[in-house]
Amino acid sequence: MANSYRCLVVDDETDIRELVVLTLERMGIQAESASNVTDAKHMLDSFSYDLCLTDMRLPDGLGLELVQHINAQFPGLPVAVITAYGSAENAVSALKAGAFDYITKPISLKQLRPLVESALKLSSQKEVSGINTVDLIGTSPAMSHVRNMIAKLARSQAPVYISGESGSGKELAARLIHQNSSRRDQAFIAVNCGAIPETLMESEFFGYKKGAFTGAIQDTQGLFQAANGGTLFLDEVADLPLAMQVKLLRAIQEKKVRVVGGTAEEAVDVRIISATHKNLNAMMEKGEFRQDLYYRLNVIPLKMPSLRERPEDVPELTERLLGKLCQGQGISMPELAPDAKIHIQQRPFHGNVRELENMLERALALCDGITITAEDLSVDELPATVSDQLAVAWHIPAREAPASEPVVTPTVLTSHTSAAAATPLAAGSTMLPMDVSLSDYLEDIEKRTILQALEKTNHNKTAAAKLLGISFRTLRYRLSKLGLSKEQEQDMDDIEPEE
């Protein structure tokens, strides 16, 4: 550390003040101290500091008051609070008030040093304006708010809880917070909590010692150790079982972990960012998510807007995503036909940005390389004739089919039933067999409809597509998606018609 850094230590306990000042001086930092809020404010007005460390309880007030004073009068100056052991509520209050971080008594030098180093890195950036959010596309008010929040969150160590629908960019926001923070040179570890088996969760998060259990042939670090000094992103945190929630809460509060098979706790310096698309408030009411963990994770909330909430961003998003996809494939970017632009603007995008990107990638594979049409974009949607068959299956009135269209009786295929042995659904029935999922049932209806159309046209794909009321390219795509392409190849000798 360079001697140009100056830190103010505020604590009414002489022993603690001297310990912290001595530690800072050994780190090459000029340290000065005050014993109360009044003296601290006077020193802040008289000198320029790069960091302030303050106790929460002082003779003439609270450290929280000093945090608020610094945020109002000296924006950009990191301030960390010293809290009593186990006073998680005070720590959360300080972080919400704008404190950079906190440390508990008795003060551990292993925790103090990384806190100071992170704060001084942040302090050295205070003259730099703006943040790097090049991957955050959109200029709508909703996205402007997200950018402002990311800029604020990047200057803190407080836990962040990101909410939003699937595909709305929660992990991207977490990465941007990390990349613009003082931890940007350290690891960003993302983990999907729902993808880890419950029996392996503790060892995955905290690591394990050799011999701790069958198969533990060597000491192995966990996610907390891998993210030490950096950021740990807990995606789908709602999927954590209750037993693991208790252990995670302790690790966050005490900033220490104990490896499986170990006897001692080790300090870890990890910033926690969590996210889920589920409603944690509803889960708390049902007893499925711990309230104390929720309030430790949800210190500062960030909501990612859905694509439906920012329709003005869709054109720019489309152009940027399309350009990225074409660059990745090494191809020229095709133009969007007018009907394609209308189709994109009118689509609800329940899958948000992820759905838009997947739709564009699919359209690139189906278009002629020059222009993307609405047909290329909507190829994943069921053709009208297939939709009619679904309507029949659910006993919903469908449009009247022309006499030339094949009459198809909906059938049910299960993993235990061959296509030849499939049986028709009883007339007027709205119930599915217990061992058939809705998605499998609908897929089987579509597959049966296409197969019967092919049989009626003597396996001529061009004629079958016309009979089904869809384009040749759409039929070809559906055959591939349904796994019917290979089994039809030997029977189909027609060629793709000229476009």
Side-chain angles (χ1 to χ4, degrees):
M1 288 289 177
N3 289 321
S4 58
Y5 288 120
R6 173 181 280 182
C7 179
L8 175 62
V9 180
V10 187
D11 200 303
D12 61 329
E13 296 183 48
T14 305
D15 292 345
I16 293 179
R17 283 204 315 272
E18 292 179 350
L19 171 65
V20 175
V21 168
L22 180 61
T23 301
L24 293 172
E25 289 178 345
R26 287 178 176 174
M27 295 174 67
I29 301 168
Q30 182 180 346
E32 298 167 1
S33 64
S35 59
N36 54 60
V37 174
T38 303
D39 289 348
K41 288 182 178 179
H42 177 72
M43 295 180 73
L44 286 166
D45 290 334
S46 303
F47 303 99
S48 176
Y49 293 97
D50 300 292
L51 170 64
C52 177
L53 293 171
T54 178
D55 191 14
M56 276 295 285
R57 295 188 177 277
L58 296 165
D60 57 346
L62 295 175
L64 200 60
E65 177 187 344
L66 197 56
V67 171
Q68 294 168 338
H69 175 76
I70 289 175
N71 282 331
Q73 301 298 323
F74 308 96
L77 172 61
V79 53
V81 297
I82 304 170
T83 67
Y85 178 80
S87 58
E89 186 176 343
N90 285 338
V92 171
S93 298
L95 291 171
K96 287 188 173 182
F100 166 77
D101 204 350
Y102 71 94
I103 189 169
T104 58
K105 295 179 181 179
I107 294 176
S108 165
L109 298 185
K110 288 184 178 180
Q111 292 181 331
L112 177 62
R113 290 192 182 97
L115 182 152
V116 171
E117 289 172 354
S118 293
L120 294 180
K121 281 183 185 177
L122 189 64
S123 185
S124 65
Q125 301 175 46
K126 60 186 176 184
E127 300 301 327
V128 180
S129 60
I131 60 172
N132 178 20
T133 56
V134 65
D135 294 325
L136 204 60
I137 304 169
T139 56
S140 62
M143 292 310 290
S144 296
H145 174 71
V146 169
R147 283 192 178 85
N148 291 335
M149 284 297 296
I150 288 176
K152 293 178 181 179
L153 296 173
R155 297 191 61 82
S156 170
Q157 300 292 298
V160 179
Y161 169 63
I162 306 176
S163 61
E165 297 178 3
S166 294
S168 58
K170 296 187 290 294
E171 182 170 346
L172 173 60
R175 287 185 181 276
L176 288 173
I177 293 170
H178 170 79
Q179 290 168 6
N180 290 281
S181 74
S182 60
R183 296 175 176 266
R184 64 187 181 278
D185 296 328
Q186 302 300 321
F188 175 90
I189 304 294
V191 55
N192 188 320
C193 297
I196 304 176
E198 184 172 350
T199 54
L200 299 178
M201 275 201 170
E202 187 175 2
S203 58
E204 284 290 318
F205 274 94
F206 307 135
Y208 54 85
K209 290 287 187 181
K210 178 181 178 180
F213 50 81
T214 303
I217 58 175
Q218 61 183 13
D219 290 355
T220 303
Q221 69 174 9
L223 295 167
F224 270 83
Q225 292 92 335
N228 195 25
T231 303
L232 180 59
F233 175 56
L234 304 177
D235 197 9
E236 298 304 340
V237 71
D239 292 336
L240 286 173
L242 288 170
M244 189 62 207
Q245 291 178 29
V246 177
K247 294 169 182 176
L248 179 61
L249 174 64
R250 176 173 175 79
I252 294 173
Q253 287 186 171
E254 307 304 331
K255 297 185 178 181
K256 295 178 182 178
V257 297
R258 177 180 295 161
V259 300
V260 176
T263 57
E265 290 185 322
E266 58 180 274
V268 287
D269 172 32
V270 173
R271 184 182 191 179
I272 301 292
I273 301 179
S274 58
T276 185
H277 70 282
K278 296 182 179 179
N279 188 331
L280 288 187
N281 283 308
M283 293 183 66
M284 283 192 295
E285 291 177 2
K286 295 177 183 177
E288 297 172 351
F289 200 86
R290 291 183 62 93
Q291 187 179 55
D292 47 8
L293 177 59
Y294 172 76
Y295 288 117
R296 289 301 286 121
L297 294 174
N298 191 25
V299 174
I300 305 179
L302 172 63
K303 184 181 184 302
M304 294 301 293
S306 68
L307 205 49
R308 300 182 301 284
E309 296 175 280
R310 52 188 188 107
E312 60 267 50
D313 291 336
V314 172
E316 182 186 357
L317 263 169
T318 300
E319 184 178 353
R320 293 278 293 274
L321 291 173
L322 194 57
K324 185 183 77 170
L325 290 168
C326 291
Q327 183 179 7
Q329 297 178 26
I331 60 176
S332 299
M333 191 168 88
E335 293 184 359
L336 285 171
D339 64 342
K341 294 179 180 179
I342 294 173
H343 179 86
I344 291 173
Q345 200 65 46
Q346 293 180 344
R347 187 156 173 154
F349 288 112
H350 297 293
N352 295 294
V353 179
R354 186 181 297 129
E355 180 184 343
L356 173 60
E357 185 171 11
N358 289 344
M359 183 179 71
L360 292 173
E361 185 173 12
R362 193 165 51 241
L364 275 177
L366 294 170
C367 75
D368 58 9
I370 300 174
T371 305
I372 292 178
T373 66
E375 180 184 306
D376 300 321
L377 294 168
S378 58
V379 72
D380 61 320
E381 299 172 0
L382 290 177
T385 49
V386 176
S387 298
D388 288 347
Q389 304 308 323
L390 304 186
V392 171
W394 290 103
H395 206 50
I396 300 171
R399 65 176 175 85
E400 185 176 346
S404 60
E405 293 190 3
V407 178
V408 182
T409 303
T411 57
V412 178
L413 301 178
T414 72
S415 57
H416 308 292
T417 310
S418 66
T423 57
L425 186 68
S429 172
T430 59
M431 297 299 294
L432 298 180
M434 294 301 293
D435 59 345
V436 179
S437 69
L438 176 60
S439 60
D440 288 341
Y441 176 63
L442 297 181
E443 184 176 294
D444 287 333
I445 291 178
E446 183 183 1
K447 184 183 295 186
R448 174 72 46 183
T449 304
I450 292 174
L451 286 174
Q452 291 193 16
L454 287 166
E455 184 177 353
K456 186 176 180 69
T457 58
N458 198 26
H459 298 286
N460 184 297
K461 287 190 286 184
T462 303
K466 185 176 181 180
L467 185 62
L468 289 167
I470 60 178
S471 70
F472 180 90
R473 281 184 295 174
T474 299
L475 176 60
R476 184 177 59 184
Y477 175 78
R478 301 309 300 177
L479 287 170
S480 175
K481 184 175 182 181
L482 294 170
L484 297 174
S485 294
K486 291 184 178 180
E487 66 183 73
Q488 297 298 325
E489 281 176 359
Q490 295 178 348
D491 299 323
M492 299 178 190
D493 54 1
D494 55 298
I495 61 173
E496 181 177 352
E498 292 183 3
E499 297 290 345

